[in-house]
C-alpha cells in the first residue's frame, strides 16, 4: 500500500468515529481533491469517462493519485479535475464513482445518489449580506477543525 493521502485519512477517520462531522469532512476533502479520471478516449475528444457496469449501475473510475490509477489501469488516457467538477460531470450523466479502487483505505463505490447529494450540497450559492466592522480583537481560542482547515 502506498502512503496515506489526505482523502485516505479523512475516510479512515469517518469510518473509525462514525461522527457526522468526520463524515462531512470526508465529503469536503473529496470535493477539494484533485482526482485523475480514467477516460475512454483521449481528452481532446471531450471528457468521456471509461465506464464499468456493476449490478446495473454504471461507474466512472477516479483516483486521488496518478500512481494509483497507473497501478490499476496502466498507461491510459486520463483527465485531472477537482472532486467538485467530477461530481458535476457524473451527476449530469447519472453515473456513480469508483474511487481509489484496489489497494487504498478510501477505496469505495459511490452510487449516483451519493454524488447527487454531494452536487446538491456544493451547489448552494452563498447568501449576500451587508455588515460593518464594529471591533477588531485577537481570535481567542480557535477550534481544532478550523486550524486544520487553515493548515490544509
Amino acid at each position: 500500500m502506498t502512503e496515506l493521502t489526505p482523502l485516505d485519512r479523512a475516510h479512515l477517520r469517518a469510518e473509525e468515529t462514525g461522527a457526522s462531522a468526520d463524515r462531512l469532512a470526508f465529503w469536503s476533502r473529496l470535493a477539494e481533491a484533485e482526482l485523475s479520471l480514467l477516460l475512454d478516449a483521449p481528452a481532446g475528444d471531450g471528457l468521456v469517462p471509461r465506464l464499468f457496469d456493476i449490478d446495473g449501475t454504471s461507474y466512472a473510475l477516479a483516483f486521488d493519485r496518478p500512481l494509483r490509477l497507473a497501478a490499476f489501469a496502466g498507461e491510459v488516457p486520463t483527465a485531472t479535475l477537482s472532486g467538485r467538477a467530477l461530481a458535476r460531470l457524473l451527476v449530469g450523466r447519472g453515473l456513480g464513482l469508483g474511487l481509489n479502487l484496489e489497494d487504498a483505505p478510501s477505496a469505495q463505490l459511490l452510487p449516483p445518489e451519493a454524488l447527487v447529494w454531494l452536487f446538491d450540497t456544493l451547489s448552494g450559492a452563498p447568501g449576500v449580506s451587508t455588515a460593518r466592522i464594529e471591533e477588531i480583537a485577537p481570535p481567542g481560542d480557535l477550534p481544532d477543525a478550523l486550524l486544520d482547515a487553515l493548515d490544509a
Side-chain angles (χ1 to χ4, degrees):
M1 181 171 66
T2 60
E3 178 182 328
L4 291 180
T5 65
L7 193 58
D8 291 333
R9 286 191 292 277
H11 183 263
L12 288 171
R13 175 120 176 125
E15 290 289 310
E16 176 185 309
T17 68
S20 293
D22 291 330
R23 289 193 313 268
L24 287 174
F26 165 75
W27 288 102
S28 175
R29 180 64 65 188
L30 176 62
E32 297 165 0
E34 185 175 89
L35 300 173
S36 296
L37 175 67
L38 183 63
L39 296 178
D40 218 10
D45 296 336
L47 288 179
V48 180
R50 182 174 300 169
L51 301 179
F52 296 87
D53 192 50
I54 301 171
D55 295 329
T57 301
S58 293
Y59 291 86
L61 299 182
F63 297 81
D64 65 346
R65 294 289 186 259
L67 289 176
R68 285 182 172 174
L69 186 145
F72 180 83
E75 191 130 343
V76 294
T78 64
T80 302
L81 58 164
S82 70
R84 177 183 310 268
L86 182 56
R88 185 179 326 114
L89 173 75
L90 298 180
V91 163
R93 299 175 184 190
L95 302 172
L97 175 64
L99 178 64
N100 287 333
L101 296 185
E102 291 283 316
D103 189 26
S106 56
Q108 60 189 297
L109 290 174
L110 299 171
E113 301 80 30
L115 296 178
V116 168
W117 175 85
L118 179 61
F119 176 76
D120 289 345
T121 301
L122 297 172
S123 296
V128 176
S129 65
T130 58
R132 297 181 66 118
I133 296 174
E134 294 179 11
E135 179 181 354
I136 297 177
D141 238 355
L142 297 175
D144 289 340
L146 175 61
L147 294 175
D148 290 343
L150 291 172
D151 187 44

